[in-house]
Amino acid sequence: MQKKLFITFAIIVSIVFSFSVCFATDMLTDATNAVKDTMNNAGNAVKDTMNNAGNTMHNSMEKTENTVENAGNKIEGTGNTLEKDVKNTTSRVTNTNNDGYTATRTSANGNATFMGMNATAWTWLILGIAAIAIIAVVWYYSMQITSESNHSRRD
């Protein structure tokens, strides 16, 4: 029985080694191709992602540039409108006499008087009266203290 097993094993081994096709080389080639395809697909995906990001940034920059340019144009237009309005107002003011109306200066530096005295004279008069009143109050109280002191000695 051992001879039969030995002969069967020898036949199987000789059949296996007699074939020139190696399955491992085909699998290795397939695996290599699969890895190459995967790397190419990953590279293309990264490349596409970078291109998309670049395009998005480029579009954003163009939109920002357009927005800033539009804002600048609006500001310039507003400045031109204001300049035109100021020129029109200035020309109206300088070209019309406003129907003969003239403004009179109303200040304390003029010749305005009350009872014949100007504002400066009235200020000095009020300050003088206030000074006299303060001196009179101080004199009155000091005389009252002196009077009380004199009366207390007599008692």
Side-chain angles (χ1 to χ4, degrees), residues 9-79:
F9 184 67
I11 291 172
I12 291 174
V13 170
S14 63
I15 290 173
V16 169
F17 286 117
S18 66
F19 290 112
S20 63
V21 177
C22 183
F23 297 111
T25 58
D26 290 337
M27 288 188 344
L28 186 61
T29 304
D30 290 343
T32 304
N33 289 339
V35 169
K36 283 182 185 178
D37 290 341
T38 303
M39 292 302 291
N40 287 335
N41 289 340
N44 289 337
V46 170
K47 180 180 170 185
D48 291 343
T49 302
M50 293 304 290
N51 286 338
N52 290 339
N55 289 338
T56 302
M57 289 181 66
H58 181 71
N59 291 341
S60 296
M61 291 300 291
E62 284 182 353
K63 288 178 183 176
T64 303
E65 180 182 358
N66 290 339
T67 302
V68 170
E69 190 173 325
N70 291 340
N73 290 339
K74 295 228 185 240
I75 290 170
E76 185 178 355
T78 303

Side-chain angles (χ1 to χ4, degrees), residues 31-152:
T32 304
N33 289 339
V35 169
K36 283 182 185 178
D37 290 341
T38 303
M39 292 302 291
N40 287 335
N41 289 340
N44 289 337
V46 170
K47 180 180 170 185
D48 291 343
T49 302
M50 293 304 290
N51 286 338
N52 290 339
N55 289 338
T56 302
M57 289 181 66
H58 181 71
N59 291 341
S60 296
M61 291 300 291
E62 284 182 353
K63 288 178 183 176
T64 303
E65 180 182 358
N66 290 339
T67 302
V68 170
E69 190 173 325
N70 291 340
N73 290 339
K74 295 228 185 240
I75 290 170
E76 185 178 355
T78 303
N80 291 337
T81 303
L82 287 174
E83 182 181 5
K84 183 180 76 171
D85 290 346
V86 168
K87 284 181 182 177
N88 289 340
T89 303
T90 304
S91 67
R92 278 191 226 130
V93 168
T94 56
N95 291 335
T96 61
N97 195 12
N98 239 359
D99 297 332
Y101 174 78
T102 57
T104 304
R105 183 176 178 179
T106 55
S107 70
N109 294 332
N111 293 328
T113 60
F114 179 70
M115 296 177 60
M117 295 189 325
N118 64 8
T120 306
W122 276 105
T123 303
W124 283 109
L125 178 67
I126 292 169
L127 286 175
I129 292 172
I132 292 171
I134 291 171
I135 292 170
V137 168
V138 169
W139 181 72
Y140 173 75
Y141 282 117
S142 68
M143 291 306 289
Q144 195 175 26
I145 292 172
T146 306
S147 173
E148 288 178 6
S149 296
N150 290 338
H151 289 302
S152 65

